[in-house]
Amino acid sequence: MQYNDDYFNSEDFKELLDTYENAMQAGAPPFLDTDDLVDLADYYNNIGENDKAVEVVDHALELYPDATLPNVFKARQALMENDFEMARHYADVIGDKDDPDYHYLLAEIMIAEKHIEEADRYLSEYSKSVEEDEWEDFIKDCANLYVDYGINDKAYQWMMRSKGDDSSDFKELMARTLFGLGKYKDSERIFNELIDRDPYSLNYWNALASAQLMDEDYSNAITSSEYAIAIDPKDPEGLSSKAQGLFRLGNFEEALEYYRRLEEIVPDDDIVPLNKGVCLVNLGRHEEAISCLERALEMAGEKSEILPNIYQELALCYGNTKQLEKALKMIDAAIKLTSDPSDMLVIRGHILLECGEEDEAEKSFMKALNMSDDSPSIMLRIIVSLYDNRYVNSCYEMFLDFFEAVDDHHPDFNKGYAYMALCCWDLRKKDEFMEYLQKSVERNPREAKLVLGFLFPETMEPSEYVQYMERELNN
């Protein structure tokens, strides 16, 4: 959360930054008070200049060894590295044990150590000493602690102790807490209220776009991101949100263009060439996709969270271009990085099938089923793989058995009807196509739009599909 953005953009802060940087270039670190030095460290942290942030804090500690905020900064760095002993050391060094930030730090150490209830009891006990005129700030500080660690239910509980805070800070914190709880519509409503107060806030527009993306309201997410881009044409978050929205709507060519713009601004972000590669895959341009994905792989470190995604996409591209050995190497690398390899085994089977290795593909599919305890989701993916590889008759027969088994053992499972409708469409089974089209729009309209949307006008809602198709077929 970037609550300091307004201050960082102010003339006062720019003057402070110039003073500090000019002094450092001259080799004479300036004598500034603790608050100014910590503001500088926060600024460098926000823009990703971590080394400079540490340099400022170390300078602050040379001047003020027992000052609260520089020690809190160092303690939080230690917490990021799970060095709880060092974090407690910095807490012990703090001279003013009555400083609220000292108490917040002790609570944060407990939270970082997963002692959530202990932290909650500590803050509740400390709350008895909080003055009435400081209560609302105390509530926000406590909630912020939990939000930072993704413990949004506790953050919400603390915010409910507010006595009526209508400040923008409180509203933003509530909106982000609701976002973390998955209440995207409520989060969106509050961000709209904040935008009414400050229509030129880049953060609010980006946060609104994020809530809309998570709520799968892609058209409005694109609109919100466009406002962010209008405020700052080189804002990475706005460009990323628009690219994601366009991708989700199937506008891969335009999404690709925004990922290209994003790549110019954040050339070291490995997720951008990955997303470019996925756009190219959806456009059927697999050779170009391989180039992007191989670059993403080169950029990604061994601990990158997106490595499995890169391996998977590369495997599919290599499979599509009949480079079977490379494809299997990639998918095997992905399997090693996942705790549940059944999905990857389905992809492995798909690649083998695509390259004409039917027997090996069947073995991989069966292994995936066994590992997933005959999961209907895994079975559906296998059947869809058969369809993608043009085994349409086999796909149709398997779907008949699939739905019979699902109805008996998984009555709430609502996926696959659109794919069966597609099979029936290809096989010219008109009556069955209409039957499964009806089931698809009733039970899973999102899947109906994704799988069958190409048969209907682009702006048409799934609820209109059956009536439209009856009219078309009769004509």
Side-chain angles (χ1 to χ4, degrees), residues 183-201:
K183 298 180 181 294
Y184 305 120
K185 287 289 186 191
D186 293 330
S187 178
E188 181 182 344
R189 174 180 52 78
I190 296 174
F191 277 120
N192 272 314
E193 291 176 10
L194 288 166
I195 286 169
D196 287 340
R197 294 183 178 186
D198 184 359
Y200 298 101
S201 169

Side-chain angles (χ1 to χ4, degrees), residues 44-153:
Y44 285 128
N45 223 17
N46 273 7
I47 64 171
E49 298 277 0
N50 298 324
D51 291 343
K52 288 186 178 180
V54 172
E55 184 180 44
V56 175
V57 171
D58 288 343
H59 176 54
L61 287 174
E62 287 175 9
L63 297 173
Y64 316 101
D66 64 348
T68 302
L69 292 179
N71 279 296
V72 168
F73 189 100
K74 297 289 279 188
R76 284 181 171 159
Q77 272 198 315
L79 290 177
M80 289 174 65
E81 298 169 2
N82 292 323
D83 190 343
F84 306 122
E85 186 177 346
M86 184 57 70
R88 281 189 288 271
H89 162 74
Y90 285 114
D92 291 341
V93 171
I94 292 172
D96 184 2
K97 297 295 195 286
D98 292 326
D99 192 318
D101 285 302
Y102 167 75
H103 295 282
Y104 297 143
L105 176 59
L106 293 184
E108 183 171 356
I109 293 171
M110 297 175 201
I111 293 170
E113 291 179 313
K114 305 289 192 294
H115 301 149
I116 311 303
E117 295 305 325
E118 183 182 345
D120 218 41
R121 287 192 295 272
Y122 182 85
L123 290 170
S124 294
E125 184 63 29
Y126 177 63
S127 72
K128 296 173 184 176
S129 65
V130 175
E131 299 291 338
E132 186 174 351
D133 62 346
E134 297 174 349
W135 181 256
E136 296 304 329
D137 286 338
F138 169 71
I139 291 297
K140 285 183 282 195
D141 288 335
C142 290
N144 254 317
L145 276 177
Y146 288 111
V147 168
D148 284 347
Y149 285 83
I151 308 170
N152 294 287
D153 55 341

Side-chain angles (χ1 to χ4, degrees), residues 256-292:
L256 182 61
E257 179 56 34
Y258 275 88
Y259 281 126
R260 283 179 178 139
R261 287 176 58 178
L262 185 60
E263 192 170 38
E264 293 175 3
I265 296 164
V266 285
D268 297 327
D269 189 346
D270 55 2
I271 200 169
V272 181
L274 169 61
N275 287 332
K276 282 178 63 183
V278 175
C279 285
L280 289 163
V281 167
N282 281 278
L283 290 167
R285 292 152 59 179
H286 291 89
E287 294 290 351
E288 292 177 71
I290 287 172
S291 176
C292 286

Side-chain angles (χ1 to χ4, degrees), residues 286-287 290 314-324 354-355:
H286 291 89
E287 294 290 351
I290 287 172
L314 266 174
L316 288 166
C317 282
Y318 287 141
N320 182 272
T321 54
K322 302 299 184 286
Q323 300 178 69
L324 180 57
E354 194 171 39
C355 293

